[in-house]
Structure formats: C-alpha cells, structure tokens
Amino acid sequence: MAEPEATQPDPTLCALCGVQLTPATEVFSLVPDSSAVHPYNADLDGMRRLAACSPDHLGELQQRYRQRPYIKEELWAGKIARALRLQPDLDKEELSEVTDLNFLQIARSLTWESERFLRDAMPGGDGERPEGGTHTADGPS
C-alpha cells in the first residue's frame, strides 16, 4: 500500500480555489519546488504538479511558485527523509548511495534542518524558512 503524499495538494481540486476539476476544465503544470519529494520515485523530486480549473488559476499558481525560493538543502533533506522512512537502518555510505547525495550534501541538509528546527522552536517562532518563504505541508504561503 502506497503512503499518501503529504506535500502534494489533492489533484482532483483546483489548488487555488478548491473547485472540483472536470476533464473539460482541468489544466496542469509542473513547477520547480524544493519541498516536493515523491514518496518513491526520485526522478519526480523537486517538481510539483499543479492542478487548476482554468488557465488563469494555473497562471496564478505558477507565479506563486516562481516567487518561492528553491532551496537545495530542503530537497536533499526530503530525499534523506524518504530513504530513512523506507529503510530506517541505513549507515552513512548506504544513505549516500540510496539518495544519490554525497557526504557534503547530506551534512548541508542536516545543518539546514537543524537551523530550521531551532528557529521554529524559539519563542515567537514564525515558521520562516531559511532564505525566506514559509514552510507548510502544501507549499508556499
């Protein structure tokens, strides 16, 4: 049984207004998004599939994602999380092989995650992500 994709919006609803999509009205696009990590297919990492009810709504969504920073460390952290979810007992060499990341990339992603955790844990933490933007399960806010 496949795990649900927590970072992806419902593909049957317009990601902007929430209206139910129909074959006659639905439009789709892929946009770069460092928070988008596919549950199993690494080839789809870093790209988010947007679904909208009209070209205008799709254009609005695409513009929002253009404004969101693409943070490599965020993508790498997602790859690491996926690998450890599927195989919790990986050593660092196996983790590097499974994620196709080198040790420096793994270390940078861990530093990014630690900084984000510390910032969010501080009193009055506002959820600001490194290098701007806010982090939510559904993408930029």
Side-chain angles (χ1 to χ4, degrees), residues 7-9 28-38 43-50 58-72 74-75 129 138-140:
T7 63
Q8 294 292 332
F28 300 96
S29 177
L30 284 175
V31 295
D33 180 2
S34 58
S35 72
V37 177
H38 192 273
D43 292 338
L44 299 175
D45 292 346
M47 296 299 290
R48 181 173 302 278
R49 181 177 179 261
L50 300 177
L58 185 61
E60 171 77 22
L61 290 165
Q62 290 170 321
Q63 184 58 31
R64 288 182 184 187
Y65 278 90
R66 278 187 205 105
Q67 295 171 1
R68 184 187 194 279
Y70 192 95
I71 303 168
K72 292 183 286 188
E74 179 180 38
L75 178 62
R129 295 176 350 136
D138 295 324

Side-chain angles (χ1 to χ4, degrees), residues 1-4 39-40 86:
M1 185 164 130
E3 291 184 22
Y40 303 101
L86 297 173

Side-chain angles (χ1 to χ4, degrees), residues 59-101:
E60 171 77 22
L61 290 165
Q62 290 170 321
Q63 184 58 31
R64 288 182 184 187
Y65 278 90
R66 278 187 205 105
Q67 295 171 1
R68 184 187 194 279
Y70 192 95
I71 303 168
K72 292 183 286 188
E73 291 81 0
E74 179 180 38
L75 178 62
W76 300 338
K79 289 175 173 281
I80 292 167
R82 176 187 52 223
L84 293 175
R85 185 178 65 249
L86 297 173
Q87 301 176 61
D89 298 326
L90 295 173
D91 63 29
K92 63 183 177 179
E93 287 81 16
E94 293 168 328
L95 182 61
S96 177
E97 184 177 321
V98 168
T99 60
D100 200 27
L101 299 172

